[in-house]
Amino acid sequence: MAGTPNLAKVLKCKAEQGCKIRFLIGDSDSEVTRRREEVENVPLTVSTRIRITLSEIEQVRDVPGIEARFGDEHIAMSVFRFDSEMLVTPHLAKLVGCDSPMMHLHRYQDDGLFDRFGYHASGLWSNGRDVWADDPRERTENTNSPAR
């Protein structure tokens, strides 16, 4: 993400056109993140990549339609959903995400692979904590609000 030219401008433009943009990011200080760093064992750690991502999306913090949450349950996967298409990268053991395979899924039926990954991502989102909450208690209280 950090290498995307004008990322903040592109995200802002998309949000202004009605696109809902959500980032579910691992918490750089969590035990889940530390365990993943041990598995990957690379110099550019997961927590560093998380901090880079947070720095990038800070530029769109106040843009309506863009939200960010910390997810503590599962960080070893990337999911990008666009209407009835989805890109999913399950981060395989001992591989960083960019070395893991990416699947391009299309929604063809109810409860197929697309829906299953979608349900999983929605569940993680519902349990997430608001990245931009000023009060740490708000981060926890927002976990009970429905996913949008």
Side-chain angles (χ1 to χ4, degrees):
M1 228 174 52
T4 303
N6 301 314
L7 177 63
K9 184 177 179 181
V10 170
L11 292 173
K12 183 178 184 222
C13 181
K14 292 293 184 185
E16 288 171 348
Q17 294 171 358
C19 181
K20 291 182 184 177
I21 301 168
R22 298 198 264 180
F23 294 92
L24 182 64
I25 305 162
D27 187 335
S28 61
D29 297 323
S30 74
E31 183 59 34
V32 174
T33 299
R34 281 190 281 286
R35 283 194 312 266
R36 185 64 194 179
E37 288 177 339
E38 290 173 9
V39 168
E40 290 183 1
N41 192 29
V42 295
L44 185 57
T45 63
V46 174
S47 56
T48 298
R49 296 190 311 259
I50 289 169
R51 284 191 290 278
I52 291 168
T53 299
L54 290 171
S55 175
E56 287 292 316
I57 67 172
E58 180 64 25
Q59 298 173 60
V60 294
R61 175 183 187 152
D62 296 321
V63 176
I66 299 179
E67 301 174 86
R69 292 185 183 180
F70 287 120
D72 297 319
E73 299 175 45
H74 188 289
I75 64 166
M77 178 175 56
S78 298
V79 177
F80 301 90
R81 182 176 179 176
F82 315 91
D83 300 323
S84 62
E85 295 189 45
M86 185 182 301
L87 301 173
V88 178
T89 302
H91 300 182
L92 303 179
K94 304 197 188 239
L95 295 176
V96 293
C98 63
D99 291 331
S100 295
M102 177 183 283
M103 300 178 287
H104 185 174
L105 306 178
H106 300 270
R107 188 172 194 284
Y108 292 112
Q109 66 186 45
D110 290 344
D111 205 31
L113 197 55
F114 180 95
D115 283 352
R116 289 172 187 235
F117 275 106
Y119 296 144
H120 179 68
S122 291
L124 294 173
W125 176 262
S126 293
N127 293 324
R129 297 175 285 118
D130 186 346
V131 166
W132 296 316
D134 293 328
D135 182 345
R137 288 171 291 165
E138 288 180 42
R139 292 181 181 180
T140 304
E141 290 169 9
N142 285 345
T143 61
N144 295 324
S145 64
R148 288 183 255 164

